[in-house]
Amino acid sequence: MPTSPLQRGVWFNEQVAALGPAYTVAVTADLRGPLDVGRLARACTALATRHPLLTAGCHNLDGLPWLAVDEHPLTLTVEPVTDGTLRGRVERATRTRFDLSAGPLARVWWFAPAHDRGVLVLAAHHLIVDGRSKDVLLRDLADCYGHDAPATAAHPAGPDGPTDPGEPTDPGDHGEPAGPGAHQPSEDLVVAAAEYWWRNPPRPVELPRDGGARPGDRVVRTLTPRTRTLLATAAVALAATRFELLLTVLTCCLAPADGPTSIALELSTRTPAEAGRIGMYVNELPFTLPTPPAGPYAAALATVRTGLRQLYAHRTVPLAMCRPGTRPFLATAAVSVSYRRIAPGPVFPGLTTTVDWSPFNGVARNALHVMIADGEQTRVTFQFPASTGARRRAGTLIDHVLAGLDRSLAAPESPVVRPSQEPPPWT
């Protein structure tokens, strides 16, 4: 199958830089109860039947990547562990580096320190999955485990998409696809996007010259029930999405005082027809932040919302197609943001399931990556390069952001929250 322009950017990065597990996408499920390992192994085989991309290999043909399915069976790896070694082994699995030239591009592990409990790890290369793919895969794996029968190809597999976040979920017309699920933007969309970027040029950013990955660290916070209630109420009162409400506070806290800057937003390119597929349905685009206004939060929200909705019209077109000479990077700006609505967790019959939808792969993709996972709980994660004192500074910054979120949602007409006085972790 041919690859999309977005996938080719990911593939190109892998050819020119030592990225380690930077493009590894993983999900883990803590399963409690009497799990049948043989049944789980058969479920993995059935899962690959539903989603053939899990069996794909990647080939360099005349300087372009192509995907070929049925090259690597999806098998379950069962490894003995103890309570003392479980955490480290799960962490290593979620940080697996996938070799595109050798394959496979997806793997599944079962680590069980006891007969009635264990951890399931599913990891794959970003070339064939995105954030929403994890929901699809874990849900379908649980379904295959429950039925324990060979599955038909219920969901046509398309090779498009890493990560997911961004709103709205339906980006509109994509033009004719270049292959099964591989979005190739139409000429009209590319022309319109080129005109948009000519009028709204991305601000220069400082990125590593080698485009490589660095060892990373992270801090995680969970929104309180009170904040989640405020978020739901404000979304109705201000006619805004939850993403817009959260992004406005982030921009006010992160934007420099000396002028506008750009952050990178990971935007979903899925259409409703692709809701049940796995693939790389995401495009990261820079979003130029205005200088934080001195007025109320509601006014800042209106500015951010207008800018976002203008950007959404061009979400399916890679930046490099509009600005010749733009080189692919792990991130298109020093600070990036992703947002994903999390569906209810899968149901494995007879088992209690606890899912970690965003295990850390140990890599810093840029100066700061903000991940927002919004479901039964709302978790905000800051990922950044590891260094002395960075974790403490990042903790101070994320607490400042969440305190500002509470104040802004409770009183939208109050002045916007200002940047933290504490130096951010990337300095």
Side-chain angles (χ1 to χ4, degrees):
M1 293 183 292
T3 50
S4 70
L6 295 170
Q7 287 173 299
R8 291 195 286 273
V10 168
W11 175 83
F12 178 81
N13 279 340
E14 287 277 26
Q15 311 309 305
V16 299
L19 301 181
Y23 283 128
T24 297
V25 179
V27 60
T28 69
D30 189 308
L31 302 178
R32 302 288 174 134
L35 180 132
D36 184 329
V37 176
R39 188 176 171 185
L40 181 62
R42 292 190 295 274
C44 289
T45 301
L47 182 69
T49 302
R50 291 193 184 191
H51 302 287
L53 274 183
L54 295 173
T55 68
C58 182
H59 298 272
N60 179 350
L61 302 179
D62 295 328
L64 290 176
W66 290 70
L67 296 173
V69 300
D70 293 332
E71 292 204 343
H72 304 281
L74 184 69
T75 57
L76 177 67
T77 300
V78 180
E79 293 189 13
V81 293
T82 64
D83 286 325
T85 61
L86 175 62
R87 180 175 178 179
R89 191 61 195 91
V90 169
E91 183 177 277
R92 287 197 297 275
T94 60
R95 300 181 181 188
T96 296
R97 181 189 180 279
F98 290 94
D99 186 340
L100 293 182
S101 61
L105 303 184
R107 294 188 63 185
V108 185
W109 293 265
W110 172 245
F111 304 110
H115 74 281
D116 60 347
R117 57 188 172 86
V119 178
L120 175 73
V121 179
L122 196 159
H125 194 277
H126 208 20
L127 198 67
I128 63 169
V129 295
D130 58 8
R132 186 61 55 84
S133 297
K134 294 187 286 186
D135 301 55
V136 174
L137 289 173
L138 212 52
R139 179 201 67 203
D140 284 2
L141 182 62
D143 182 62
C144 292
Y145 181 83
H147 289 85
D148 192 22
T152 58
H155 306 295
D160 254 15
T163 314
D164 184 338
E167 295 186 352
T169 55
D170 181 5
D173 179 32
H174 294 282
E176 290 299 316
H183 295 318
Q184 183 74 31
S186 67
E187 183 178 352
D188 289 346
L189 288 175
V190 175
V191 170
E195 182 181 350
Y196 170 83
W197 290 116
W198 180 79
R199 291 184 284 104
N200 303 276
R203 306 287 294 187
V205 295
E206 289 296 328
L207 291 169
R209 291 185 178 275
D210 61 0
R214 292 164 288 174
D217 199 354
R218 68 171 179 171
V219 294
V220 183
R221 298 289 188 270
T222 301
L223 297 193
T224 65
R226 175 182 180 274
T227 303
R228 280 175 56 87
T229 300
L230 288 171
L231 193 61
T233 302
V236 175
L238 299 173
T241 67
R242 296 162 71 91
F243 175 58
E244 290 165 349
L245 293 167
L246 292 162
L247 183 65
T248 299
V249 172
L250 276 170
T251 59
C252 292
C253 291
L254 300 177
D258 58 352
T261 188
S262 292
I263 63 172
L265 299 181
E266 295 181 4
L267 301 176
S268 173
T269 65
R270 286 177 182 265
T271 65
E274 294 150 346
R277 299 181 182 180
I278 69 168
M280 183 183 166
Y281 297 95
V282 68
N283 185 15
E284 183 173 283
L285 294 174
F287 176 61
T288 300
L289 308 174
T291 302
Y297 167 78
L301 171 66
T303 301
V304 169
R305 181 171 54 203
T306 299
L308 279 177
R309 298 188 179 188
Q310 292 173 351
L311 177 65
Y312 287 157
H314 313 291
R315 64 194 303 158
T316 62
V317 183
L319 185 63
M321 294 184 74
C322 307
R323 296 178 64 84
T326 302
R327 174 183 164 186
F329 281 97
L330 273 172
T332 54
V335 177
S336 57
V337 179
S338 68
Y339 172 90
R340 188 160 68 93
R341 295 300 296 269
I342 304 296
V347 178
F348 285 84
L351 303 172
T352 301
T353 307
T354 304
V355 180
D356 182 355
W357 293 106
S358 303
F360 186 36
N361 61 14
V363 171
R365 61 200 302 274
N366 55 352
L368 176 67
H369 181 52
V370 181
M371 297 176 60
I372 304 169
D374 195 9
E376 295 176 353
Q377 293 184 320
T378 303
R379 297 180 65 193
V380 180
T381 302
F382 279 16
Q383 296 180 0
F384 46 88
S387 65
T388 303
R391 177 185 284 263
R392 182 189 62 79
R393 295 196 299 274
T396 299
L397 180 60
I398 196 171
D399 289 339
H400 175 73
V401 170
L402 297 185
L405 177 65
D406 266 3
R407 292 197 303 271
S408 298
L409 295 178
E413 297 306 321
S414 63
V416 295
V417 61
R418 308 308 300 173
S420 172
Q421 297 302 310
E422 177 77 8
W426 57 87
T427 61

